Amino acid sequence: MDRQAAENRVKQLHKEINRHNYLYYVEDRPEITDAEYDQLLRELQQLEKEFPELVTQDSPTQRVGAAPLEKFSQVAHRLPMLSLENAFNEGEMRDFDERIKRFLGLPMANEIDYVCEPKMDGLAVELIYEEGTLTFGATRGDGYVGEDVTQNLKTVKAIPLRLHCSHPPRLVEVRGEVYLGLAPFQKLNMEREEAGLPPFANPRNAAAGSLRQLDPRITARRPLSIFSYAPGIVEGYEFVSQSQMLATLPQWGLPVNPLIRKVNGINGVLAYYREMGETRETLPYEIDGVVVKVDSFDLQRDLGEKSRSPRWAIAWKFPPRQAITVVEDIVPQVGRTGVITPVAHLRPVEVSGVIVSRATLHNWEEMEKKDIRKGDTVIVERAGDVIPAVVKVMTEKRVAGAELLAVPAACPECGSEIVKIPGEVAVRCLGLTCPAQIRETIIHFASRHAMDIEGMGDKYIEQLLRLGLVKTVADLYYLKKEDFMRFERMGDKLAENLLNAIDSSKHRELSRFIYALGIRHVGEHTAKLLANAFGSIEHLGKATEEELLSIHEVGPQVAQSISTFFHNPVNLEVIERMFAAGVRPAVEEKRLGGRFAGKTFVFTGALSRFTRDDAKRMVENEGGHAAGSVSKKTDYVVAGAEAGSKLDKARQLGVAVLTEDEFLRMLEG
Ligand code: IVH
């Protein structure tokens, strides 16, 4: 390619990649798959390698992370980043509303326009755009002085490196919350525990830890996101209200939380708070309350601020998801990779609507540090969704003789030697045939995000192991109906369903197959990268560590682990046996202009023709997007039996509603 052609293509790629970032992060309706996105990015990287003079400061490749720093430099905010006063109940909110009217000299019967926003549980940052280009980014710090984390913020794909407007204002300072979603948070913690590192207590700590990394390449690997919610100094443009600002920022490419709503008067605020209390449970990120702001910037100016917080805003916190209960026992549990973790069995207790009876204590060091003992009265918290944690021991309630559980001397399941790897907190069982490891490996293999063998849950896998019907994952593909009929309470139909489910898993995507193998340090994301890069298990198995390292995002630890896995003859034999049984992982097809390109689907109700995961796959294979909730952006709602509020909402918004059969017909064209 000559220089001119390269320059044109580079510009085109900038545009295209930025557009897909926008669709993904601001509009929440991606048009291409992650793999296709990576492909565009790789093409750009290649061109920039050939023509280094074409690299610009705002090129999407500049997000991969610059060289590590020695330390962050301190920076003063031109306008202090204030904090918010908290309210904890309706009475305090009514006081807030009345205080505002009194201060403004308005009659109490007047209703104020408020903007209500979910209070994101992340960390506040400031982004500075000069002439439309992101030049600077900092943490809030103490509100007056923060840390310069520009290089790290540039790795956050939801943050535009250039504002999307042809005549950008001279200066735009925007404040927002950087956060980590629940799924990436759980994944990150799993990887950390696996690597023998202490897990993060909650998504907020994980987000802060990820952003305040001296090595931006680490930040680049964490899928941080952002919602913007406040202006700093702005020159060359005037915002008149919070609602008008929040409507403008997305046009410039800055994500704004779609759940934000302008309401009238305190009653509007109360209704919003109640609604968010419910919505909260379904969100893919943590919120810890609702932020209420006076909409008009004129009124905000009149109200001004107290020492550290504005008079025109308040944070109405949700009650914490905590409860008090008793640790009835502490039991060592062996995971898939042999890591042994202490698990607390709790006296069942309700924590904001969910009954909690177990909590992971993460690792022995953590347990000792928190001094958690059998019989202790503890505070448990459901932070970051499903995994409950013990946050504190009420030592004043400790009964005499409560003893700390010692690290077991041998594996509690197979009696093998256990080791603590120096520099890691994890304790591992070294038994190659440890039944707990085998059980967890098979459970992982069959699980939803791996081979997705429907119906093949823990209970059946345990029975298969007990009866000696499977010893490795490959044995699953040699099971016969008679084998299942040996189970207690097994019928013809159920046995056939299980066999069918096993059979249909033979052609799962390659990335799922790689993930299902359970190679240490290879999570779903890495499995996708490997599938894209190597295209088949044979190629992956033959890859040298050097070839593995050439993949962006694959580090030495991962490369070594993959190489070790494929050098183990036992593993190769298991894979061989699966192939001999007809397992053929499918290579993901790239469907740019699929039948559903650009279309968003929501599936609701009880589906009988396909599972929700299948539905998602079908939509994505055709270039569409499957979303979790109905909005104006939804194109179709596919409703199964007993569809509820999502169907109502679809009707309300005039979104097209399909039956499952209609959907399948549409799929077939
Ligand atoms: S407005 C003066 N809006 O809450 C305006 N803050 O407790 C100050 N936060 O430091 C910020 N979601 O880190 C605002 N929608 C939202 C927010 C939000 C989360 C955080 C932010 C702030 C803290 C104050």
Side-chain angles (χ1 to χ4, degrees):
M1 196 183 275
D2 68 17
R3 217 210 93 118
Q4 191 52 51
E7 190 174 338
N8 292 344
R9 181 63 187 150
V10 163
K11 282 197 183 135
Q12 203 180 359
L13 283 167
H14 280 198
K15 254 207 186 130
E16 222 170 298
I17 294 170
N18 287 338
R19 192 175 84 86
H20 290 303
N21 276 343
Y22 177 82
L23 285 171
Y24 188 94
Y25 291 103
V26 184
E27 299 253 317
D28 189 23
R29 48 176 194 97
E31 286 180 1
I32 59 174
T33 62
D34 290 357
E36 284 158 358
Y37 178 87
D38 291 343
Q39 184 69 41
L40 294 174
L41 205 59
R42 264 201 302 274
E43 187 186 346
L44 181 58
Q45 272 165 338
Q46 193 53 41
L47 283 172
E48 289 182 346
K49 208 156 111 191
E50 273 173 57
F51 302 93
E53 69 276 20
L54 296 179
V55 181
T56 56
Q57 207 193 356
D58 61 6
S59 165
T61 59
Q62 299 309 295
R63 294 184 186 277
V64 293
L69 298 172
E70 294 267 318
K71 67 190 234 324
F72 294 118
S73 40
Q74 306 269 309
V75 283
H77 301 294
R78 289 222 276 161
L79 210 65
M81 291 179 76
L82 299 176
S83 94
L84 293 171
E85 195 185 320
N86 290 325
F88 296 96
N89 54 50
E90 189 179 321
E92 289 175 2
M93 278 312 291
R94 290 190 182 277
D95 291 347
F96 166 78
D97 180 57
E98 284 174 17
R99 216 160 46 228
I100 284 178
K101 291 179 196 168
R102 240 190 337 267
F103 197 94
L104 292 172
L106 293 172
M108 287 296 146
N110 255 26
E111 297 295 6
I112 308 271
D113 278 333
Y114 290 111
V115 170
C116 296
E117 311 180 0
K119 186 170 192 304
M120 300 298 300
D121 203 9
L123 76 156
V125 297
E126 172 160 77
L127 306 172
I128 300 186
Y129 289 90
E130 290 173 283
E131 310 290 353
T133 299
L134 176 67
T135 51
F136 192 79
T139 61
R140 173 172 179 273
D142 64 3
Y144 300 96
V145 177
E147 283 172 327
D148 176 352
V149 286
T150 312
Q151 291 309 328
N152 294 1
L153 285 168
K154 281 188 175 175
T155 70
V156 178
K157 295 204 193 82
I159 297 177
L161 300 179
R162 254 200 85 71
L163 296 180
H164 303 185
C165 49
S166 43
H167 300 289
R170 214 203 63 66
L171 174 72
V172 181
E173 292 183 358
V174 193
R175 279 100 187 252
E177 197 87 345
V178 168
Y179 67 93
L180 188 68
L182 291 174
F185 162 70
Q186 278 158 16
K187 191 169 153 243
L188 177 61
N189 265 358
M190 243 147 61
E191 287 166 4
R192 285 176 71 85
E193 290 192 49
E194 170 72 11
L197 296 166
F200 289 110
N202 52 48
R204 173 169 26 95
N205 290 3
S210 302
L211 191 65
R212 298 186 61 257
Q213 277 287 340
L214 289 169
D215 185 350
R217 288 168 299 194
I218 297 179
T219 312
R221 272 184 243 133
R222 309 266 170 91
L224 293 170
S225 204
I226 190 169
F227 281 131
S228 28
Y229 51 60
I233 293 176
V234 177
E235 289 170 10
Y237 191 88
E238 202 179 352
F239 293 122
V240 298
S241 66
Q242 178 72 3
S243 54
Q244 180 248 339
M245 180 197 70
L246 294 173
T248 308
L249 294 180
Q251 292 170 11
W252 292 353
L254 285 156
V256 165
N257 193 324
L259 297 170
I260 291 179
R261 199 178 310 145
K262 181 170 152 178
V263 303
N264 184 248
I266 186 68
N267 288 332
V269 172
L270 299 181
Y272 183 85
Y273 179 82
R274 263 179 239 124
E275 189 184 324
M276 275 312 125
E278 283 172 26
T279 307
R280 174 189 198 198
E281 303 297 332
T282 66
L283 294 176
Y285 46 80
E286 280 269 87
I287 62 175
D288 59 347
V290 162
V291 180
V292 180
K293 302 173 182 174
V294 170
D295 185 33
S296 152
F297 281 174
D298 277 341
L299 291 185
Q300 285 190 9
R301 257 185 300 274
D302 291 346
L303 285 157
E305 51 232 25
K306 294 184 279 193
S307 59
R308 305 218 54 181
S309 54
R311 273 192 203 88
W312 44 263
I314 196 161
W316 187 1
K317 302 290 279 272
F318 291 133
R321 289 165 158 160
Q322 289 187 341
I324 294 173
T325 188
V326 173
V327 177
E328 293 185 325
D329 202 359
I330 301 178
V331 177
Q333 187 174 300
V334 188
R336 172 165 61 88
T337 56
V339 176
I340 304 176
T341 43
V343 174
H345 291 199
L346 307 167
R347 179 172 304 158
V349 64
E350 190 196 307
V351 188
S352 58
V354 173
I355 303 289
V356 172
S357 59
R358 298 223 169 167
T360 167
L361 303 180
H362 296 300
N363 58 61
W364 306 87
E365 259 175 42
E366 183 80 6
M367 183 184 79
E368 282 166 29
K369 207 169 72 199
K370 287 194 184 142
D371 193 21
I372 303 167
R373 308 183 188 186
K374 181 174 167 181
D376 273 348
T377 302
V378 293
I379 299 175
V380 286
E381 181 176 58
R382 274 203 309 132
D385 208 19
V386 284
I387 313 161
V390 173
V391 287
K392 196 174 172 301
V393 174
M394 305 177 77
T395 32
E396 67 278 13
K397 293 206 174 175
R398 176 165 288 161
V399 287
E403 265 184 75
L404 260 177
L405 182 69
V407 178
C411 173
E413 298 244 14
C414 73
S416 295
E417 184 191 352
I418 64 178
V419 291
K420 182 166 179 325
I421 293 147
E424 291 191 3
V425 291
V427 174
R428 258 175 230 281
C429 159
L430 291 183
L432 282 176
T433 53
C434 174
Q437 288 181 50
I438 295 172
R439 179 184 66 226
E440 297 301 318
T441 301
I442 299 175
I443 291 174
H444 168 77
F445 183 84
S447 68
R448 212 152 63 86
H449 291 269
M451 295 299 262
D452 192 17
I453 306 182
E454 223 193 317
M456 187 59 83
D458 305 9
K459 292 281 165 305
Y460 289 147
I461 291 170
E462 274 163 23
Q463 294 205 55
L464 288 170
L465 285 163
R466 216 173 9 225
L467 293 169
L469 291 167
V470 301
K471 294 198 167 58
T472 73
V473 292
D475 298 331
L476 290 172
Y477 294 101
Y478 292 86
L479 290 170
K480 298 193 190 58
K481 193 166 159 191
E482 310 86 271
D483 296 329
F484 283 115
M485 295 310 286
R486 289 172 61 189
F487 287 11
E488 291 159 33
R489 275 198 288 277
M490 174 61 63
D492 270 346
K493 186 78 191 132
L494 194 50
E496 273 161 30
N497 285 350
L498 285 169
L499 283 173
N500 285 340
I502 293 174
D503 204 53
S504 56
S505 76
K506 286 180 177 167
H507 302 284
R508 290 279 181 263
E509 296 93 325
L510 178 62
S511 58
R512 281 172 169 268
F513 184 71
I514 296 172
Y515 172 62
L517 291 174
I519 306 167
R520 277 183 71 188
H521 305 303
V522 177
E524 278 178 83
H525 178 66
T526 308
K528 274 189 190 155
L529 297 177
L530 295 171
N532 279 337
F534 293 99
S536 74
I537 270 294
E538 291 82 355
H539 287 138
L540 174 62
K542 291 203 185 88
T544 61
E545 279 189 39
E546 217 171 34
E547 285 170 313
L548 290 163
L549 281 169
S550 72
I551 302 174
H552 170 59
E553 289 187 73
V554 170
Q557 200 185 29
V558 181
Q560 205 203 352
S561 163
I562 297 168
S563 171
T564 309
F565 182 92
F566 286 103
H567 274 94
N568 183 341
V570 178
N571 292 336
L572 296 181
E573 203 192 306
V574 170
I575 294 174
E576 271 303 307
R577 254 172 72 70
M578 286 198 271
F579 275 71
V583 173
R584 292 285 178 280
V587 179
E588 275 109 302
E589 250 180 273
K590 298 193 167 39
R591 285 298 264 293
L592 251 177
R595 188 163 283 133
F596 298 158
K599 296 280 184 262
T600 298
F601 288 76
V602 172
F603 292 85
T604 183
L607 302 176
S608 56
R609 303 288 312 266
F610 38 76
T611 67
R612 226 157 268 256
D613 272 355
D614 285 334
K616 188 166 166 29
R617 215 157 28 226
M618 292 188 276
V619 166
E620 284 173 358
N621 281 344
E622 289 296 337
H625 170 53
S629 59
V630 179
S631 72
K632 285 185 305 226
K633 288 169 197 149
T634 313
D635 295 290
Y636 298 100
V637 166
V638 181
E642 283 155 55
S645 63
K646 286 183 191 171
L647 181 58
D648 296 341
K649 179 122 187 237
R651 297 217 169 99
Q652 218 177 339
L653 293 172
V655 173
V657 176
L658 304 175
T659 64
E660 286 175 82
D661 287 325
E662 283 168 338
F663 168 74
L664 288 174
R665 275 202 291 279
M666 209 165 124
L667 186 76
E668 281 148 21

